Amino acid sequence: MPLAACTSPQQAPPAAPSVTTESAGPAGPVPAGLDRFYAQPLTWGACAPYATSDDVRSAFGRTDLQCARLTVPLDYGKPQGDTITIGVLRHKASDSAHRVGALVLNPGGPGASGMSAAAGISSQVAGTDLGKRFDLVGFDPRGIGASEPEVTCLTDTERDQERSEDLDTDGSPAGVARQEAESKEFAAKCAQRTKYGTGMLANLGTRDVVRDMDVLRSALGEQKLTYLGYSYGTRLGSTYAEAFPQNVRAMVLDGAVDPNEDEVSSLVAQGRGFGVAFNDFTKWCAARQDCALGADPSAATRAFQDLVRPLIDHPVRLRDGRELTFDDATLGTIQALYSQQLWSPLNAGLNELKEGQGTTLMALADQYNERDSSGHYTNTQDAFTAIRCVDDPPVTDRAEILTAENRYDQAAPFLDDGRPNGAALDPCAFWPVPNTSQPHEPNVSGVPPVLVISTTNDPATPYQAGVNLAKAMKGALLTFEGTQHTVFLQGISCVDRIGSDYLINGTLPPEGARCTAQ
């Protein structure tokens, strides 16, 4: 059962000025013992030193961006103890005379870089009312990207090796044993290689990130938080609203994570989402003369399986010496299903595979895994697992795991490897610290109405999750009819207009509001 991060892919454009320090004292109420954090000044400077991969280096070199470090407690229960820092990036409002405030964003994951997302979105909103009226602020959550220390589990070489082994396709008792041995080793390495060890891992989850967000709100000089959360970022939004209801000004939550849904149900629902998106891709593909899966969409799943299943026993060797495995090919396909803009490369990659080549599919898989051209991985995948393990109760019932595996294959048959499923425990079953939260209905009494945006055929965060979140948050729901993961500020004028009007003026759309692609 593939475990897909629910990031909202944001392409950072080509990304920072003289050093300035800003401090207006703490903004709003300060929790006991945290005065020095809430009142800290932010020293803004060039963003280039914050780049963590080749893919964002040019973006972080832009002179219209500023970066700073926010200091927060490692453990909020011990504010006088060790501290860590959060990387923050800002693009200032272009119309300072009519500035509303700071719009803080998170792109999802968990584990994705908010700094990179903000750099990318800032170019997209330049010249718009949103760009004129708001400072756009992205942060790398604790343990991620430019924040220090970062979660560290696997080296680049170990990550490549893990991908080449394709262990998930072996559901035999021996295969399950190998998978669990790898999971145990992964959990141990995370604790050994991450600074502060289990102390960091225990304080890495959503519970702690929203506390960082409130410190950031104050350090930015904002009495109340204006927030944009994509995908997993919607969980940060709902959790922040529950923890700090009095500090919320407005929230757009796009591509919702259902706060009530347990991990197994969420993953199966995600499988259904990818299954629907794959079917939409095959219909699009069938209309092309060069469709790698043929002209009959009803036969496309079998055609796809015939292409990728042989990779289990016979991976395709690439020019760089790596091999395209079944897991790489299916993960590259999942990456392409996040956005229709990647459907053409996916079709090209599948046509290449028919000729015994795997360059394009591997490039898509590398994009998902955030592996750059030099072979360096960001720590997104390490952080994704670490946050998931501390956020939710581990799944240790093997019968439940096997049932979930089978349900996932039924929901997304194109990902079925054709072999019996096993019931291997994942790293969370061996995690060295307990989980700190669990799914529940958020208590958001006193929170102003939020805007939830949900896409009908979102592959990673199904439409119904948005319906459920809007109801739980007592907010408004905007439906987008399309097949992609998240939509706000991605060029759909109807969605962008409604979302921007809400953030600037507080205007909510009427009940039943819907948008379609132009």
Side-chain angles (χ1 to χ4, degrees):
M1 179 171 57
L3 181 62
C6 52
T7 56
S8 172
Q10 302 289 344
Q11 300 303 316
S18 58
V19 172
T20 57
T21 300
E22 298 176 9
S23 176
V30 179
L34 299 177
D35 302 69
R36 68 187 178 108
F37 299 104
Y38 273 71
Q40 69 184 286
L42 289 176
T43 300
W44 298 98
C47 289
Y50 293 76
T52 57
S53 72
D54 291 344
D55 293 340
V56 300
R57 211 164 301 282
S58 61
F60 279 34
R62 284 169 41 197
T63 56
D64 60 333
L65 301 178
Q66 300 172 309
C67 288
R69 290 201 175 277
L70 178 78
T71 300
V72 295
L74 169 63
D75 182 348
Y76 276 91
K78 303 174 182 177
Q80 301 306 315
D82 291 322
T83 61
I84 60 176
T85 64
I86 307 299
V88 184
L89 179 145
R90 175 177 72 174
H91 183 275
K92 298 189 75 170
S94 59
D95 185 356
S96 57
H98 298 93
R99 177 182 177 275
V100 176
L103 173 60
V104 176
L105 69 88
N106 178 275
S113 167
M115 297 176 73
S116 296
I121 293 175
S122 67
S123 288
Q124 299 169 31
V125 302
T128 68
D129 287 342
L130 202 66
K132 292 176 181 177
R133 307 289 294 278
F134 283 98
D135 296 346
L136 192 65
V137 178
F139 67 101
D140 284 358
R142 54 173 55 206
I144 293 166
S147 294
E148 296 177 342
E150 67 173 14
V151 175
T152 303
C153 304
L154 299 183
T155 66
D156 294 337
T157 300
E158 288 170 340
R159 181 68 69 182
D160 278 343
Q161 179 63 30
E162 179 189 64
R163 290 174 62 181
S164 71
E165 291 172 347
D166 227 2
L167 291 181
D168 293 345
T169 58
D170 186 357
S172 69
V176 168
R178 284 194 294 271
Q179 291 177 56
E180 291 190 355
E182 185 176 82
S183 291
K184 289 180 183 178
E185 185 178 13
F186 178 89
K189 286 178 177 176
C190 289
Q192 293 165 1
R193 295 174 175 177
T194 299
K195 186 177 180 181
Y196 301 126
T198 55
M200 183 69 179
L201 297 184
N203 294 283
L204 191 68
T206 300
R207 175 200 67 177
D208 300 287
V209 175
V210 300
R211 294 173 180 174
D212 297 341
M213 288 168 58
D214 201 52
V215 175
L216 175 60
R217 171 199 59 77
S218 178
L220 290 170
E222 301 292 306
Q223 291 290 329
K224 294 183 181 294
L225 177 72
T226 304
Y227 177 72
L228 166 59
Y230 293 101
S231 202
Y232 161 78
T234 67
R235 182 169 181 171
L236 286 175
S238 63
T239 305
Y240 180 91
E242 186 173 33
F244 303 100
Q246 75 282 5
N247 293 348
V248 176
R249 175 186 172 273
M251 287 186 172
V252 171
L253 306 177
D254 182 4
V257 174
D258 189 332
N260 287 299
E261 201 164 45
D262 63 45
E263 183 182 1
V264 169
S265 298
S266 178
L267 287 173
V268 173
Q270 188 180 79
R272 284 195 295 270
F274 282 117
V276 170
F278 180 79
N279 290 338
D280 285 351
F281 163 73
T282 63
K283 294 172 185 175
W284 168 88
C285 185
R288 300 169 58 100
Q289 290 186 341
D290 68 341
C291 180
L293 302 179
D296 181 4
S298 66
T301 294
R302 180 56 185 272
F304 180 83
Q305 291 172 340
D306 288 345
L307 272 177
V308 299
R309 284 180 176 177
L311 294 170
I312 297 173
D313 296 315
H314 304 288
V316 171
R317 182 165 290 278
L318 307 179
R319 289 186 185 135
D320 64 3
R322 292 189 295 160
E323 292 182 331
L324 179 78
T325 64
F326 173 86
D327 279 354
D328 284 322
T330 52
L331 194 60
T333 301
I334 286 173
Q335 172 67 14
L337 295 179
Y338 274 83
S339 170
Q340 292 187 36
Q341 295 178 352
L342 296 178
W343 286 6
S344 288
L346 174 57
N347 184 54
L350 294 173
N351 274 316
E352 284 181 7
L353 187 56
K354 294 169 78 171
E355 302 300 322
Q357 301 174 34
T359 302
T360 299
L361 286 177
M362 184 64 94
L364 288 168
D366 284 346
Q367 185 178 350
Y368 181 94
N369 283 304
E370 297 190 14
R371 182 187 193 271
D372 66 22
S373 57
S374 69
H376 173 63
Y377 292 85
T378 68
N379 79 322
T380 296
Q381 296 303 321
D382 288 348
F384 172 79
T385 301
I387 295 166
R388 184 173 63 86
C389 291
V390 78
D391 263 3
D392 297 305
V395 182
T396 56
D397 184 328
R398 294 185 187 277
E400 184 181 11
I401 293 171
L402 186 57
T403 298
E405 295 276 2
N406 293 333
R407 288 175 61 197
Y408 197 101
D409 286 345
Q410 294 169 3
F414 75 101
L415 296 173
D416 184 357
D417 59 24
R419 302 188 175 192
N421 286 318
L425 303 179
D426 73 1
C428 296
F430 309 103
W431 209 242
V433 296
N435 60 291
T436 58
S437 60
Q438 59 186 5
H440 66 280
E441 180 89 3
N443 178 5
V444 292
S445 177
V447 175
V450 305
L451 174 62
V452 177
I453 303 174
S454 198
T455 298
T456 53
N457 291 336
D458 188 318
T461 50
Y463 175 74
Q464 187 61 38
V467 176
N468 296 345
L469 182 63
K471 181 179 179 181
M473 296 287 290
K474 300 175 178 60
L477 175 68
L478 171 62
T479 295
F480 172 65
E481 297 176 3
T483 303
Q484 62 187 65
H485 181 45
T486 73
V487 62
F488 185 47
L489 302 182
Q490 294 173 37
I492 305 298
S493 60
C494 171
V495 175
D496 292 352
R497 174 178 51 79
I498 291 173
S500 297
D501 191 27
Y502 164 74
L503 289 172
I504 295 170
N505 303 308
T507 306
L508 290 166
E511 185 174 353
R514 303 179 78 88
C515 291
T516 59
Q518 294 95 326

